[in-house]
Amino acid sequence: MTIQRRRRLIKRQRSSVGLALVAAISFLAGMTDAMGLMSLGDFVSFMSGNTTRASVALIQADVARGVLLIGGLSTFVIGNAVGVMVSIRFRPHSVLLFVSVLLACAALLADRREMQFLLLILAMGAINASVEQIEGLPVGLTYVTGALSRFGRGLGRWVMGIRNTHWVIQIVPWLGMMAGAISGAALVQKIGSLALWIPSAAALLLTAVAIQIPRRWQSRFIQHR
């Protein structure tokens, strides 16, 4: 086997592992977001929606809800920052462990809805730092508007004769989030607030899986600048 062929094989394997991880994390994000929406009435990962909801709440003089949602937006930003810090200081899989702990704390606070809401948002912000790119191509984990936009633009270029098909991977996080949201909604209907323990267990399981990924591969899934 030539060196170039070996490199191509490793790149293909690394990409496949990365995409599988993206799908699993997006599934977790979709599940958590659906549970948050059904249990608390607002999104915990879809900050575009919460931005609009906060604006509408303030215009309608629902100041308490507006302030809570704005606090959620700030918490999401902080979660992303903390996630990056954990990823750089330790390893990307450490972010998943951190998220698991946050989700468990949120599940424990079923009687303190505002704190539960903010903890879920903090977790969904942080999880974005676990995988940021696949072979240099950006991916989103807790939101799919950007992914669908990149998919659509790639499709348009393909129709116009530009045969770069890297854009196809952008459908992966959408599929993961859709499947996760369906599962999350079904779980809330069946077991109510206890369903929030499942994302924590899922994040812990993902941590155990991610630990097995070679360190050099994990370093390719995050940005260094």
Side-chain angles (χ1 to χ4, degrees), residues 18-222:
L19 284 175
L21 191 59
V22 165
I25 295 173
S26 295
F27 181 94
L28 172 61
M31 179 191 296
T32 306
D33 203 32
M35 289 179 177
L37 180 61
M38 293 182 70
S39 301
L40 303 172
D42 287 300
F43 301 107
V44 296
S45 73
F46 180 47
M47 293 302 110
S48 296
N50 281 352
T51 298
T52 302
R53 285 172 176 253
S55 302
V56 171
L58 292 174
I59 289 297
Q60 294 179 338
D62 189 351
V63 177
R65 187 174 183 221
V67 169
L68 177 62
L69 288 169
I70 291 173
L73 297 174
S74 301
T75 301
F76 186 78
V77 172
I78 293 171
N80 276 269
V82 173
V84 167
M85 292 164 64
V86 171
S87 178
I88 292 174
R89 179 64 180 83
F90 302 101
R91 289 175 63 184
H93 71 253
S94 301
V95 178
L96 294 171
L97 180 59
F98 176 61
V99 167
S100 178
V101 172
L102 290 175
L103 291 173
C105 291
L108 284 169
L109 296 175
D111 58 338
R112 300 186 62 181
R113 295 171 65 84
E114 291 83 4
M115 184 61 69
Q116 187 181 57
F117 178 62
L118 295 177
L119 279 171
L120 289 173
I121 289 179
L122 186 65
M124 292 299 96
I127 206 171
N128 284 290
S130 57
V131 179
E132 297 179 278
Q133 61 184 14
I134 301 295
E135 299 304 320
L137 299 174
V139 292
L141 300 176
T142 64
Y143 49 90
V144 292
T145 302
L148 290 175
S149 177
R150 287 188 288 269
F151 184 88
R153 282 177 281 151
L155 178 60
R157 292 188 181 97
W158 187 84
V159 170
M160 295 303 295
I162 301 173
R163 296 309 183 194
N164 184 335
T165 57
H166 290 166
W167 51 273
V168 173
I169 72 167
Q170 299 296 337
I171 205 65
V172 172
W174 179 82
L175 290 172
M177 179 162 276
M178 183 72 174
I182 291 172
S183 300
L187 286 167
V188 170
Q189 284 189 333
K190 286 185 177 296
I191 59 177
S193 61
L194 290 176
L196 282 173
W197 284 102
I198 295 177
S200 176
L204 192 60
L205 178 61
L206 276 176
T207 303
V209 172
I211 288 174
Q212 309 303 316
I213 300 174
R215 188 184 187 96
R216 285 180 297 176
W217 289 18
Q218 286 194 43
S219 68
R220 298 290 294 268
F221 298 155
I222 61 173

